[in-house]
């Protein structure tokens, strides 16, 4: 956003304008007469403004209601205005704003549009602008009689023409002793003489490819892809959002894997300890087996000697029971058919 001034009561000078924080001016192409000797832009002033990097915009205004004079007046004023622009080092392809400096009615608009059409016959329709209140500039834009709009807050009733290029506020400042109106440029190109249209960085084909890539990344209408799910606010995720969500899930899975690996390492350590204990038990058992084998046929060592006697008694009783087992009915070694066969003999 750029801030500028328009003034008619004097010429503040480029250095003072720049020091006050402004970088463009809208300047009149018409003389002001004895009462406003500093109204008209001169070649010397234009050079001074350019030397301080102050952009210049053209305006034509004689009397407040000059535009009501219609088509032929527009031709005359456009020719005079263009001549003054060129005299001051301006460009033929830049617009001139023509002022309707009063509260115009819809009936007035007929003459205003005719005046602008007359100016367009000299400058070309693309280089015709209008200054005025909300309704005046809106009607001119709607009718196509103006391609540029400099809207003043006066006669606007608080309404904002969104197509305007420059906004003249009600704020005023004094710069180097000259009372000035404060303006705001609301488009990059607002009619300044030093505007240079940058060449496009890509061909139409390249632009189409980039737009297709943008659609692939952000979904139809840049509104996301339904199949990727929604975010916390219910909006469809874009490819970038989906990738971010996937990366987040991967990070969470990696964290869980790291935790499991930590648990696995702990289990491995415990298994190793158990293996060591088992190895030690196996070695101890082998030692015991060896010792028992060595002691066979000898008296048992204490404390095993305490049960040596009872053990021998139990062993003897078991041996006796085993010898009786074949004679017991229903047990292995006993035959149930022998008594029946004996009973059947004569």
């Amino acid at each position: 956003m750029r801030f500028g001034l328009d003034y008619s009561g004097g010429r503040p000078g480029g250095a003072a304008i720049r020091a006050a924080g402004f970088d463009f001016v809208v300047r009149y192409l018409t003389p002001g007469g004895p009462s406003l000797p500093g109204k008209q832009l001169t070649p010397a002033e234009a050079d001074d403004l350019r030397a301080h990097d102050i952009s210049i915009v053209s305006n034509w205004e004689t009397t407040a209601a000059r535009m009501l004079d219609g088509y032929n007046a527009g031709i005359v004023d456009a020719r005079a205005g263009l001549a003054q622009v060129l005299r001051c080092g301006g460009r033929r392809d830049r617009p001139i704003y023509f002022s309707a400096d009063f509260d115009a009615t819809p009936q007035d608009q007929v003459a205003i549009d005719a005046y602008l059409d007359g100016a367009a016959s000299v400058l070309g329709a693309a280089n015709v602008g209008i200054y005025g209140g909300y309704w005046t500039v809106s009607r001119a834009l709607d009718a196509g009689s103006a391609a540029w709009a400099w809207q003043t807050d006066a006669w606007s009733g608080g309404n904002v023409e969104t197509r305007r290029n420059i906004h003249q506020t009600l704020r005023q400042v004094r710069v180097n002793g000259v009372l000035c109106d404060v303006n705001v440029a609301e488009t990059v190109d607002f009619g300044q003489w030093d505007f240079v249209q940058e060449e496009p960085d890509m061909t139409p084909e390249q632009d189409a490819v980039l737009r297709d890539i943008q659609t692939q990344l952000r979904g139809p209408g840049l509104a996301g892809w339904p199949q990727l799910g929604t975010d916390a606010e219910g909006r469809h995720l874009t490819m970038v959002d989906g990738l971010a969500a996937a990366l987040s899930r991967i990070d969470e899975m990696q964290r869980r894997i790291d935790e499991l690996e930590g648990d696995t390492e702990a289990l491995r350590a415990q298994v190793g300890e158990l293996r060591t204990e088992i190895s030690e038990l196996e070695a101890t058992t082998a030692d015991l087996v060896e010792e028992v084998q060595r002691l066979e046929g000898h008296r048992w060592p204490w404390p095993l000697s305490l049960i040596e006697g009872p053990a021998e008694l139990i062993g003897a009783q078991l041996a006796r029971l085993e010898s009786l087992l074949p004679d017991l009915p229903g047990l292995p070694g006993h035959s149930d058919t022998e008594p029946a066969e004996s009973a059947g003999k004569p």
Side-chain angles (χ1 to χ4, degrees):
M1 183 177 294
R2 298 177 61 178
F3 296 88
L5 304 172
D6 71 89
Y7 45 87
S8 58
R11 300 182 179 91
I17 292 171
R18 174 62 69 174
F22 301 95
D23 66 1
F24 77 88
V25 295
V26 184
R27 290 296 287 125
Y28 296 99
L29 304 174
T30 54
S35 62
L36 296 172
K39 180 178 180 180
Q40 187 178 49
L41 175 68
T42 64
E45 181 191 5
D47 289 342
D48 175 59
L49 292 169
R50 282 191 289 262
H52 292 89
D53 294 324
I54 305 296
S55 297
I56 302 170
V57 180
S58 304
N59 173 263
W60 178 273
E61 178 183 320
T62 52
T63 59
R66 166 64 172 170
M67 297 177 75
L68 295 181
D69 291 339
Y71 187 87
N72 290 333
I75 294 175
V76 171
D77 292 351
R79 287 174 177 170
L82 180 58
Q84 186 65 11
V85 166
L86 297 177
R87 190 177 300 116
C88 294
R91 292 161 46 185
R92 187 180 296 272
D93 64 341
R94 295 278 74 197
I96 296 175
Y97 291 90
F98 296 89
S99 293
D101 203 6
F102 64 103
D103 189 8
T105 66
Q107 291 74 27
D108 294 330
Q109 196 73 35
V110 176
I112 290 172
D113 289 341
Y115 176 96
L116 295 172
D117 289 341
S121 69
V122 177
L123 305 175
N127 295 322
V128 174
I130 184 170
Y131 165 90
Y134 170 78
W135 289 278
T136 304
V137 300
S138 294
R139 288 191 292 258
L141 292 173
D142 290 342
S145 58
W148 303 77
W150 177 17
Q151 182 192 350
T152 177
D153 281 342
W155 316 301
S156 289
N159 295 288
V160 174
E161 171 51 68
T162 58
R163 296 170 289 177
R164 68 191 183 187
N165 303 97
I166 307 175
H167 170 211
Q168 184 189 61
T169 72
L170 297 178
R171 179 186 168 207
Q172 293 185 314
V173 295
R174 194 170 292 276
V175 178
N176 199 21
V178 178
L179 188 64
C180 308
D181 297 318
V182 175
N183 295 267
V184 181
E186 301 203 345
T187 55
V188 175
D189 181 4
F190 49 96
Q192 67 271 41
W193 293 0
D194 57 357
F195 178 78
V196 177
Q197 180 67 53
E198 295 183 359
E199 291 296 325
D201 296 330
M202 63 188 72
T203 65
E205 292 77 13
Q206 292 171 327
D207 182 67
V209 170
L210 287 179
R211 289 181 181 276
D212 182 62
I213 292 173
Q214 185 182 45
T215 299
Q216 293 297 322
L217 290 174
R218 301 187 62 84
L222 308 184
W225 292 98
Q227 57 267 45
L228 294 180
T230 57
D231 59 17
E233 298 178 358
R235 295 173 298 194
H236 293 144
L237 297 178
T238 65
M239 189 71 72
V240 175
D241 296 332
L243 178 59
L247 290 174
S248 178
R249 288 196 297 269
I250 290 172
D251 289 341
E252 175 64 19
M253 292 175 64
Q254 185 61 53
R255 184 186 65 79
R256 294 179 62 186
I257 289 172
D258 292 342
E259 291 177 353
L260 290 173
E261 287 180 346
D263 294 342
T264 301
E265 288 301 319
L267 288 173
R268 285 175 179 168
Q270 294 176 21
V271 169
E273 293 174 359
L274 287 174
R275 284 177 177 168
T276 301
E277 293 178 7
I278 290 170
S279 297
E280 293 175 351
L281 288 172
E282 288 175 344
T284 302
T285 301
D287 291 343
L288 287 173
V289 169
E290 183 181 350
E291 181 66 18
V292 169
Q293 290 175 347
R294 189 180 65 80
L295 294 174
E296 280 184 352
H298 300 278
R299 291 190 60 80
W300 292 3
W302 192 91
L304 297 177
S305 62
L306 296 177
I307 62 171
E308 182 177 3
E312 291 176 351
L313 178 60
I314 292 170
Q317 293 297 323
L318 287 173
R320 179 174 175 274
L321 287 172
E322 287 176 355
S323 66
L324 296 175
L325 287 176
D327 297 330
L328 293 176
L331 294 176
H334 182 273
S335 176
D336 293 333
T337 61
E338 291 182 357
E341 292 176 355
S342 298
K345 290 182 180 181

